[in-house]
Amino acid sequence: MKSLKNFLLFGAVIGTIVMSVLIYVGVSIGYEWYVTKQETEKAEKTARITFNSAYELMSKGWTGDELENFLQANRATYEQLNMEVNYYGQSDLNDGQLSESVQAVLDTGETRQVIEDHVITYIYAQTIQSECIVCHTDVAVGDVYGVIEVSEDIAPIINDAREDTLLYLLALFPLPVLGAFIISRYLANRINKSMLELQSRIERVNKTDDLKLIEMNNIDLTFTEMNALYKELKDLAKRLRGISVDKDILEFEVKLLEKFVITSEVVKDWKEHVKMLLIEINNIMEVHLIFSLFKVEDEDYVLEVFWLYEPSEEIRVIFERIIRHKLGDSKIYKSSGDIIGIDINHTVALPKKMLKKLDEESINFQTKTLFLETPRIGGIVGIGVNSSLTKDATRSLVIESILTTLLNVIGSVKAVYKYTKELEYFATRDPLTNLYTQRVFWELLTYEVLRAGRHNYKFAIMVIDLDDFKLINDIHGHLFGDKFLQEIAILTKEVLRKGDVLARYGGDEYTIILPYADQEQAHFVASRLLDKFKDYTLETPNGSHVKVSASIGIAVFPDHSDDSKNLFLIADNMMYKAKGEGKNRIGLPNSDDVLEIFKTIKDKNTLLLKALEENKIVPFFQPIVDIKTGAVYANEILMRIDLPDEMMVASDFVEIAESMGIISKLDYMLMDKALEQVSAENYQGFLFFNLSPKALIVSDFVPSVRKMIKKHNVDPKKIVFEITERDTVKNLTVLEKFVLELKREGFQFAIDDFGSGFSSFQYIKRLPIDIIKIEGDFIRSLAGEGHMDKAIVLSIVTLARELNIAIVAEFVEDGNIYKAIDEMGIDYAQGYHVGRPSPYLK
């Protein structure tokens, strides 16, 4: 019944049966009515003929007996015709034994007809006429003299007719059934063929473009109504094609969004990223190649072409020409000169398979360009697809999305790579003087100690501090102070040998490493340097002249120490001794000086152990504010030691504490006290803790911190651990594992002094960093004309923005610096202008 042909056949059979029943009933009723009518008329005629015959016979003088015999003969004849004729004479009419119908006719003299149970009875009254009075003198004209009753049972006739009709219908019944079967098969086959074609097309609809199969107008569904329905289906398919998006396209679009994330891996190997993207694109549409051309700042353009499969040399030449022509039409080259000489790099995503032969007509190139003023980036990306795809609205949107992704990824990678290279260079160089930074000085000093110990030679270090530089800076301004520092660097270089190492240690302090030099040679160099300074003057903005003066401290390896930190400590103390003795002189250590310095170190060791034993560690809080709102965003926790007459700052004891191996205990004590105060005051902001690399080798660090935050009920998401650039991390793999463990606990991670060393960029490539704090030396110079510092800070901001990392500017010491970092788009500020460290939470 569920199939069309069975439904039609069943319908035809049922229809034939119903029709046959209706015909049978109709014929039976009609025939019965007709027979009844005919037999009624026949009965009437029979009665009249009998009467007329009797009348004629009586008129001719027949006796009563003769007439009775005649009527009996007639009755016998009618019985053969299934009719019964009764004649009631005068004697019969008077005996009172008549039927009700005959009696009624007798009383009224009116003819009567009765039909009951298929028996037709016609009762005809015989009245006295004028001619009858001749013989019948005892009656009057009009009196009923006799009654003729004619009866006929028509049931046998009707039953015969019904039987004949039924037999006839049964005989004919197979004919309409057979006809219905033939017609149903014909219609079913015709409709099924069209429906199977439609079903086949619907089954092949797996994506939006396949809806075109339904729109093809070559299916006839036989009936007008079904064809009208099919037309509506085609219109629906057309509308769906206009508004629907394939599932695979939506999934691809979602995955495409992930490609916008520029990770360190993408920066390191962006070509591999584009190759994988090309392979993924081909899962939803056929894309043969992608090309890009970018320029950052003043670099040369390089055209990168990415092929899905290995192209033949002929195809390469053809498409190089097409791409060059396409690029020539772009506005990016209107001012870039001739593009013919641009280098082209070819990269193949799946090199083991050869690209099929292509022609220019079958490929359509879609491009998208990018121009940024700050930073100066210009570029174009293109995609080569089958021409047919560009006619599809949905595919065109996907192509646009792909181009946008490529533009974002490649443009960002180029910018990040460019600035990363610059930042890595300036991470080793002081941007003002172009000398080595403090970080590089320590790395080179450590290396020199190892090398000198291995090859058994002496070397000297010098610490130089300019006399009264703060006064010069305050009187003549930061611009003149910067120029002063630059001139000192130039003068110092002129005195040194080619292999000597000169670094700007910080502020107005310089350091020098003199390989293969003893105390006498170091003193000679220092003397030459002071003579050089004495002969030099620098003109100020008001036309006056400023002379140069410096205090220099010296230490020699291994005479004074064989440890890099102690060696520097001795030279630094000698510099302060020279300054204390009148400035503009050289401090050379003798045995008493060295003993005094080590005694001081020993005293500090004792002081630290006592502070640890008596729990003298005090947390100080320095606020970090949101630049846009001015609200306190966080507090950095700084360590102080509570002495009877002063609060000792961390810089005075951290290195000694690290060398003693107690820094972790001091950190725990600081953190516990800070968290206790935070919990007591219900502080809800972020907390920044400085984290020493020594914590990496403390196995119970994470469990201890976890226990503390649970004890004080502090949210770990509010705690930020800082790794500072002054610390050296030899094993980045260990650090990476350590940081990931902290991140899993919910803590955040920051890099302090960002930009002051190589490790900043290693950290940012390999670690999940949340925040960077820009090196304070860069920030200090923003209020002046330090263009190089501004360029470096802007580069760091650009890099952080690309990697979705928050930025804190340290050493914000006045309103001008605060305004400058606000204009650069830095998120947070920290420094004396914002708030000084204090034992109270802000």
Side-chain angles (χ1 to χ4, degrees), residues 294-309:
F294 268 85
K295 182 175 184 178
V296 182
E297 300 296 342
D298 298 321
E299 289 182 346
D300 293 330
Y301 284 104
V302 176
L303 176 59
E304 303 283 352
V305 182
F306 298 85
W307 298 87
L308 178 62
Y309 301 124

Side-chain angles (χ1 to χ4, degrees), residues 73 157-158 381 799:
I157 300 173
I158 292 173
V381 294
L799 177 64

